[in-house]
Amino acid sequence: MVSHVSAAIVHDIPVWAIPLSRVHVLRDRRTGGRTHRHLTVHAARLPPGDYTEVDGIRVTTAPRTVIDLARTLPFEQAVVIGDAALRSGKTTRIELLDQVNQATGRKGCPAARRVVEFLDGRSESVGESRSRVQLIHSRLPAPELQAIIFADYGTRTTRVDYLWPELGLIGEFDGMIKYHKEIRGDHTPEEVVIAEKLREDALRALGLRVIRWTWSDLDNPTTWFARLHSAATHPHDPLDPALWRSTPRV
């Protein structure tokens, strides 16, 4: 049956920086894994509840797929997949923890457990998931994700990617997708830019600083981290708790 990254594709779970040149399948047996030019065969015992069918394709379930990948992929790639699976409702934290417990003693299980502990379905894109992983190395406290800010002192609300309320700091990953026709709808790119500027003006009126970053910053975060630290160490007041609320973790 289809497994690992090939199963993620079947489940329509976004992946990032993973080779797709080979199809991955799993055989329900203890040994016999092998790799060919266009095929990787994995061997493992497979409980009945760990496989399903999607569009006529027999495939490992979404929870099993996420944990198989979390055991075998680098942390960042695994987080991208796990966050997306949680965000889309294809699995739950409880299901993932159950899968990790079932994998106890298998190669990569400690790594998978670290991934599950870090996952958060509030990350809304590959870029936001990658940003969270990079921010581990920033020496800043963990931010609130998708926090609701009562902009204009309560006359309207806005949601932000990352909020450090104790630092009066907002972080926004700009993947540029908002400027695409299918996202902006009938609005012109200029109208989208103006709306975003007005939104940031309202946030800055609350005494908040806003730092933006893009895809290139994720690959080379030195300058991005410097801007974050400069903003974080600038004299500031914490954001009034009455002006924001957290979004529950997914």
Side-chain angles (χ1 to χ4, degrees):
M1 82 183 55
V2 177
S3 68
H4 293 76
V5 67
S6 301
I9 300 300
V10 172
H11 284 291
D12 196 26
I13 299 173
V15 302
W16 168 75
I18 304 173
L20 301 177
S21 58
R22 292 190 180 97
V23 174
H24 290 251
V25 298
L26 189 148
R27 300 285 185 250
D28 186 11
R29 58 196 184 202
R30 295 188 182 280
T31 60
R34 59 190 184 276
T35 297
H36 303 285
R37 182 179 178 186
H38 298 298
L39 178 70
T40 296
V41 178
H42 303 267
R45 304 307 303 177
L46 193 67
D50 282 6
Y51 58 86
T52 186
E53 191 171 290
V54 177
D55 296 331
I57 301 172
R58 202 162 178 245
V59 60
T60 52
T61 62
R64 172 67 188 245
T65 299
V66 170
I67 298 307
D68 281 344
L69 291 170
R71 291 192 304 106
T72 56
L73 289 177
F75 184 80
E76 189 169 6
Q77 285 91 323
V79 167
V80 165
I81 290 168
D83 279 356
L86 287 174
R87 178 174 68 250
S88 63
K90 296 182 187 297
T91 188
T92 66
R93 192 171 300 279
I94 291 174
E95 289 173 333
L96 294 177
L97 288 171
D98 181 60
Q99 281 289 333
V100 169
N101 291 333
Q102 289 183 44
T104 298
R106 297 173 63 190
K107 184 178 179 180
C109 183
R113 194 174 296 278
R114 289 192 294 273
V115 168
V116 172
E117 289 172 353
F118 186 76
L119 293 182
D120 198 318
R122 290 175 296 181
S123 291
E124 295 186 333
S125 67
V126 171
E128 290 186 23
S129 293
R130 290 190 62 203
S131 295
R132 287 200 307 116
V133 174
Q134 292 294 337
L135 285 168
I136 295 173
H137 309 293
S138 71
R139 295 181 286 111
L140 291 176
E144 292 280 345
L145 304 185
Q146 306 302 329
I148 305 298
I149 309 291
F150 299 98
D152 296 333
Y153 291 90
T155 60
R156 63 189 178 96
T157 62
T158 189
R159 189 158 50 89
V160 298
D161 295 341
Y162 310 92
L163 171 67
W164 290 268
E166 70 277 28
L167 301 176
L169 179 61
I170 286 171
E172 296 273 71
F173 171 72
D174 193 347
M176 305 299 178
I177 192 170
K178 67 172 70 70
Y179 307 111
H180 295 181
K181 174 64 177 176
E182 60 270 23
I183 300 298
R184 60 182 168 84
D186 294 332
H187 297 288
T188 66
E190 291 79 8
E191 289 172 332
V192 173
V193 169
I194 291 171
E196 191 64 22
K197 181 182 184 305
L198 293 174
R199 172 179 174 270
E200 288 197 11
D201 285 346
L203 293 170
R204 291 191 173 96
L206 299 176
L208 295 163
R209 275 122 334 128
V210 180
I211 300 296
R212 287 184 169 275
W213 58 89
T214 63
W215 288 105
S216 61
D217 294 307
L218 298 180
D219 295 325
N220 185 13
T222 303
T223 302
W224 164 35
F225 284 175
R227 290 189 290 120
L228 279 174
H229 279 282
S230 177
T233 56
H234 192 273
H236 65 275
D237 293 319
L239 180 61
D240 185 340
L243 293 177
W244 73 278
R245 71 168 184 265
S246 61
T247 298
R249 188 181 184 190
V250 177

